Amino acid sequence: MWNYDRRLMYPVKIKNKNPELAKFVIAQYGGPDGELGASLRYLSQRYTMPTAETKGILNDIGTEELAHLEMVGAIVYQLTRDLDSKIVKESGFGDYFINHTTGVYPANSNGSPFTAAYIAVTGDPIADLNEDLAAEQKARATYDNILRLSDDPDVNDAIRFLREREVVHYQRFGEANHTNLRRFCPYKR
């Protein structure tokens, strides 16, 4: 189906443990504006797109979002690896730890599990592409919020890379939306 390169899209090398920060970052793994929802949304929407070009854009970005999911998972894992009970208790990571230990589980920052309700697929190219534009901005805003709360330069480096990719995706979806509006708008005069 895809060729898989067994390395992260961007290196993730977190030196310091920080389970409190991991609770924030996990939002981009399984939260409402996270990478899991984005990848599933785009890979599902591609089927009803009217042009091969737009299908290709959704396939490319949806696949890249899977790579982002892998990066976010690596960040969370590296922030929580080898935790002792004292750190778990002091950091407020106990609720997560009780259910998942340090496994990377798709949830939002409050611990609510991922749900398919996060995925918007209408079958209407214009509606779906506008949803995608909004989704990329919400993901960017979540990354901005993580950067506001993080003082770890290793985490911030990877998060900035991911944030930058959301901006590029937004631009590509904007171009696709503009093209589809011109070709397929049901309200043409």
Side-chain angles (χ1 to χ4, degrees):
M1 188 142 108
W2 288 292
N3 290 325
Y4 178 68
D5 191 356
R6 292 180 183 223
R7 61 186 164 90
L8 294 177
M9 187 176 185
Y10 188 86
V12 174
K13 295 181 180 154
I14 311 299
K15 293 179 209 77
N16 301 312
K17 297 177 205 173
N18 187 338
E20 184 178 24
L21 181 55
K23 282 181 64 173
F24 303 142
V25 175
I26 198 77
Q28 282 301 84
Y29 194 79
D33 305 314
E35 304 295 356
L36 179 59
S39 63
L40 293 174
R41 176 186 303 113
Y42 306 150
L43 292 173
S44 296
Q45 288 174 349
R46 67 186 166 162
Y47 293 106
T48 57
M49 287 295 149
T51 67
E53 178 185 3
T54 307
K55 287 178 185 184
I57 289 169
L58 283 159
N59 190 68
D60 291 349
I61 295 174
T63 303
E64 184 176 333
E65 298 290 3
L66 289 171
H68 294 181
L69 182 71
E70 200 171 22
M71 285 180 63
V72 171
I75 293 168
V76 170
Y77 171 73
Q78 290 177 30
L79 286 169
T80 60
R81 69 184 176 277
D82 304 322
L83 293 179
D84 61 42
S85 299
K86 182 179 179 196
I87 293 173
V88 169
K89 289 176 187 175
E90 291 174 355
S91 67
F93 194 67
D95 293 338
Y96 184 94
F97 186 86
I98 289 298
N99 292 306
H100 312 292
T101 318
T102 58
V104 180
Y105 178 75
N108 66 21
S109 57
N110 295 322
S112 298
F114 178 80
T115 173
Y118 295 159
I119 303 168
V121 180
T122 68
D124 178 282
I126 305 305
D128 283 347
L129 288 167
N130 277 286
E131 168 62 31
D132 300 342
L133 287 162
E136 292 298 323
Q137 287 303 306
K138 290 186 275 185
R140 180 209 40 85
T142 302
Y143 282 128
D144 285 344
N145 291 336
I146 291 168
L147 288 168
R148 284 186 187 99
L149 298 174
S150 173
D151 61 358
D152 186 314
D154 297 329
V155 171
N156 293 352
D157 184 50
I159 296 296
R160 282 189 192 100
F161 171 82
L162 290 165
R163 181 200 181 282
E164 184 177 306
R165 295 305 302 160
E166 304 302 343
V167 172
V168 171
H169 296 169
Y170 178 82
Q171 293 166 341
R172 291 198 65 205
F173 284 137
E175 293 162 4
N177 194 33
H178 180 72
T179 299
N180 281 296
L181 274 171
R182 281 196 330 246
R183 289 184 188 165
F184 302 104
C185 183
Y187 306 108
K188 284 185 179 176
R189 295 173 202 231

